[in-house]
Amino acid sequence: MVTIKAFPHADFLCQMERLGEGEPLLGTPTLSPSLSGMLLAAGGTGVLTKAAGCLMQLLKAQKAVWQASLDGELVAAELRRYQKFAKPGQPSPHIVQLRQRQAAARQASSVSRQAFIKAAMAFVREAGLEVPPRVALEAFMAGWIEANIPVDSVPAAPARQRAD
């Protein structure tokens, strides 16, 4: 059984989008001084900077990577379950369909990773972050997000099992 986890930064992303639309926020998460200085314009007006827009795009791209990874895991688990009992010879139409879904999930994963790297480059440029030498941009940004962006307190929900 695969456990379905919620995207850990979904609440923060939603609040950033509302703030970008000009809505006042209730219960704004506490941000570190460096993060609030990076995302909000000086003067306490609550106006978002270009870096905040890039951060929203980065979080959306990370959510797409997360979703593609989850989809790939679910299809792979289902494919393993059905291939275990498959007879030798021509694969059943269901297994062919699952392999097609797995290929589509891999393609979505590649596209979402490319979008994440593109958004990460834009954010690093706008925020003025310094990527350490010999560290991949994707790994650096994933670590930076985990360290600096507030995480939602939503528990993981178990996946429903199908009765076959």
Side-chain angles (χ1 to χ4, degrees), residues 1 4 18 21 26 34 48 52 57-58 60 65 98 104-105 109 114 138 150:
M1 182 164 82
I4 298 176
R18 282 193 215 134
E21 294 169 358
L26 301 174
S34 62
L48 296 178
Q57 293 302 316
L58 180 65
K60 288 177 185 178
V65 168
L98 287 174
S109 178
Q114 289 173 355
E138 186 176 3

Side-chain angles (χ1 to χ4, degrees), residues 12-13 16-17 19-20 35-36 38-41 47-59 123 126-127:
F12 179 78
L13 177 60
M16 288 289 294
E17 288 172 341
L19 188 60
L35 187 60
S36 63
M38 185 185 302
L39 301 179
L40 301 173
V47 177
L48 296 178
T49 62
K50 276 187 166 183
C54 292
L55 179 61
M56 283 192 280
Q57 293 302 316
L58 180 65
L59 289 175
F123 178 69
E126 285 297 325

Side-chain angles (χ1 to χ4, degrees), residues 128-142:
L129 295 176
E130 190 69 31
V131 180
R134 299 181 190 220
V135 175
L137 178 64
E138 186 176 3
F140 172 74
M141 284 312 302

Side-chain angles (χ1 to χ4, degrees), residues 42-100:
T45 60
V47 177
L48 296 178
T49 62
K50 276 187 166 183
C54 292
L55 179 61
M56 283 192 280
Q57 293 302 316
L58 180 65
L59 289 175
K60 288 177 185 178
Q62 186 185 33
K63 185 176 181 179
V65 168
W66 172 85
Q67 183 66 48
S69 172
L70 180 65
D71 291 346
E73 288 175 15
L74 291 174
V75 171
E78 191 173 358
L79 186 59
R80 277 192 301 273
R81 185 174 60 221
Y82 284 105
Q83 279 185 326
K84 187 186 319 184
F85 302 108
K87 295 179 179 146
Q90 181 105 12
S92 70
H94 184 66
I95 290 180
V96 170
Q97 182 185 25
L98 287 174
R99 288 181 183 160
Q100 289 171 343

Side-chain angles (χ1 to χ4, degrees), residues 109-162:
S109 178
S110 295
V111 169
S112 64
R113 275 203 168 82
Q114 289 173 355
F116 179 78
I117 291 171
K118 184 178 177 183
M121 287 187 323
F123 178 69
V124 165
R125 196 175 313 117
E126 285 297 325
L129 295 176
E130 190 69 31
V131 180
R134 299 181 190 220
V135 175
L137 178 64
E138 186 176 3
F140 172 74
M141 284 312 302
W144 187 90
I145 288 172
E146 289 302 315
N148 294 296
I149 304 298
V151 177
D152 303 343
S153 58
V154 178
R160 291 182 278 155
Q161 280 189 321
R162 288 181 26 186

